[in-house]
Amino acid sequence: MTELKKPDEVALRPHYKAHYHFQFLSAAFRFGLFDILEKEPGTTLTGISERLGLQQQPTRILLLGCTATGLVRKEGDGYHNTPLTQPLGERPGHVPATYIPWETHGIYRAISWFYESLQENSNIGLQREIPGTAPTLYGRLAENPELESTFHTMMSAVTQLVAEDVATELDLSEYRHLLDVGGGAAMNAVHLAREWPDLEITIGDLPSIVPQANDRIAAQGLGHRVRAVSLDAFHDEFPVGHDAVFFAHFLEIWSSDRIRALLAKASRALPSGGGVFVVTPYQYDDETGPERSAYLSAYFHTIASGEGMVYTPKEYEQWFDEAGIEPAKPVQLGPDTVVIRGRKR
Ligand SMILES: C[S@@+](CC[C@H](N)C(=O)[O-])C[C@H]1O[C@@H](n2cnc3c(N)ncnc32)[C@H](O)[C@@H]1O
């Protein structure tokens, strides 16, 4: 066996010590350390231990972890946020702050079943770590309302990053009524409706999320054009009367067979010339990245569904073609998201 030399050990360290990095971040966030340092930069060890309600030694251990990994900076006796953690204190309802509760309560323990999930070709992480009986994450979220709220807060913040670009980059001027399948808490629908004032939108999602979506729609004064209704995309036919079907951050959760079935269902529900839009993270056609496509694929397999992954744009274009949808040139949004679009022939 080749013995690892020191530089190799150091280079590999971020991989085998990643869980410590996460614990420093997650614990400090849960204790509100970054908020404290946002409001009172330069607070000392004693001040921090009083505010966190912790003994001095545990506080020292937490601060050592945060300082050594660049989450906080020590200057004299005082502690400060760094550029990495400043946004966590400043913008709690946005990315990246919304990721931390979700990674802590939804993913961290469950993803440790990655090995077994690969072996069993099933989402063992969900089955072992998230209470309930439903076979997918979304069904289990309905059984765990607090976790469901954490998920949709994170998801809405993630979607907000691309929703404005989705609404402006897509030309929806010729469509009258769009069906947003798995539209979640209505973040995309609200942006699309604001950008396209003649467009009506129906969101179809599982029943537990419908009230939250309708609350957001009402709060934006869009109730006359946008509504959320209960729809199980696998068991129900899509309602007719729409001239465009929109799937955002949805198809990649599922296997290629299920995606083909969903695209065929969309095609059946549309008139000739109707539009199909798929907003999705993607992996490069040569299957070497990007990194986010790797994280998400592991998450879909181990937790969300046990069957999905992030696919290549080429695969979507082929599935469109098979479903009788003529693919157009994909629209790139940011570094790792794409909109695959087409028209029913
Ligand atoms: C990753 S979220 C995406 C939400 C939204 N489209 C967005 O871009 O923010 C996936 C959504 O699919 C919904 N979903 C899961 N299974 C579904 C099913 N069988 N039928 C309809 N919606 C489903 C979930 O409730 C959740 O809102």
Side-chain angles (χ1 to χ4, degrees):
M1 203 172 94
T2 328
E3 215 174 285
L4 280 183
K5 292 188 196 69
K6 199 164 177 229
D8 299 329
E9 187 274 333
V10 172
L12 199 56
R13 198 182 286 167
H15 297 270
Y16 65 81
K17 297 292 187 194
H19 42 281
Y20 289 99
H21 287 249
F22 179 73
Q23 294 306 332
F24 299 144
L25 176 66
S26 167
F29 186 86
R30 290 173 78 181
F31 282 121
L33 177 66
F34 308 118
D35 285 342
I36 292 167
L37 297 183
E38 165 68 16
K39 292 187 190 106
E40 300 168 55
T43 309
T44 61
L45 168 68
T46 309
I48 292 170
S49 83
E50 273 165 18
R51 282 171 187 70
L52 302 191
L54 295 179
Q55 304 279 319
Q56 288 243 343
Q57 179 136 332
T59 310
R60 274 182 74 190
I61 293 169
L62 178 66
L63 288 171
L64 179 60
C66 290
T67 309
T69 56
L71 300 177
V72 302
R73 175 172 58 82
K74 190 174 183 207
E75 209 177 285
D77 286 338
Y79 290 89
H80 301 259
N81 285 334
T82 67
L84 286 182
T85 47
Q86 223 163 334
L88 303 178
E90 279 171 0
R91 290 163 57 82
H94 294 81
V95 165
T98 54
Y99 274 125
I100 298 169
W102 172 243
E103 296 285 337
T104 300
H105 301 293
I107 297 191
Y108 193 80
R109 273 189 284 273
I111 201 69
S112 73
W113 295 91
F114 179 56
Y115 173 87
E116 291 79 2
S117 299
L118 295 177
Q119 240 176 0
E120 302 289 322
N121 196 17
S122 179
N123 54 348
I124 306 292
L126 179 90
Q127 296 158 31
R128 295 293 161 86
E129 298 293 347
I130 304 199
T133 54
T136 72
L137 172 67
Y138 311 95
R140 281 205 195 191
L141 290 178
E143 300 175 71
N144 297 275
E146 206 175 318
L147 194 60
E148 183 171 54
S149 160
T150 304
F151 172 81
H152 282 289
T153 300
M154 175 282 296
M155 198 60 230
S156 293
V158 172
T159 297
Q160 193 171 21
L161 294 178
V162 290
E164 215 168 282
D165 287 348
V166 170
T168 52
E169 294 289 322
L170 298 183
D171 180 1
L172 300 180
S173 55
E174 69 186 271
Y175 300 110
R176 291 287 157 266
H177 201 156
L178 176 138
L179 176 67
D180 179 0
V181 179
M187 186 55 89
N188 276 309
V190 161
H191 280 81
L192 290 172
R194 280 208 214 108
E195 182 68 25
W196 301 100
D198 296 327
L199 188 65
E200 280 188 45
I201 302 175
T202 300
I203 296 171
D205 204 304
L206 299 176
S208 61
I209 187 61
V210 166
Q212 193 180 324
N214 280 324
D215 286 350
R216 173 169 282 147
I217 293 162
Q220 298 292 324
L222 289 166
H224 55 299
R225 285 196 291 127
V226 186
R227 71 204 60 82
V229 300
S230 175
L231 173 87
D232 185 324
F234 298 110
H235 296 116
D236 305 331
E237 272 306 304
F238 292 168
V240 287
H242 298 91
D243 52 9
V245 178
F246 180 86
F247 301 96
H249 305 119
F250 183 68
L251 291 186
E252 66 273 15
I253 299 168
W254 313 109
S255 68
S256 56
D257 285 347
R258 293 243 236 180
I259 295 175
R260 286 191 175 102
L262 288 167
L263 289 172
K265 205 178 254 194
S267 186
R268 281 200 297 280
L270 283 172
S272 172
V276 179
F277 300 90
V278 175
V279 180
T280 180
Y282 70 99
Q283 64 161 306
Y284 305 138
D285 282 327
D286 71 1
E287 304 181 342
T288 56
E291 218 169 274
R292 182 165 173 252
S293 69
Y295 302 148
L296 285 169
S297 295
Y299 157 71
F300 295 137
H301 189 80
T302 309
I303 305 170
S305 64
E307 62 176 75
M309 70 180 291
V310 174
Y311 302 96
T312 66
K314 258 196 198 144
E315 289 175 288
Y316 281 104
E317 288 179 46
Q318 191 189 323
W319 299 329
F320 267 43
D321 194 44
E322 283 171 18
I325 303 160
E326 184 66 39
K329 192 171 181 292
V331 178
Q332 175 92 31
L333 296 176
D336 48 29
T337 302
V338 72
V339 187
I340 317 288
R341 60 199 172 121
R343 269 176 201 285
K344 179 176 172 179
R345 290 190 193 102

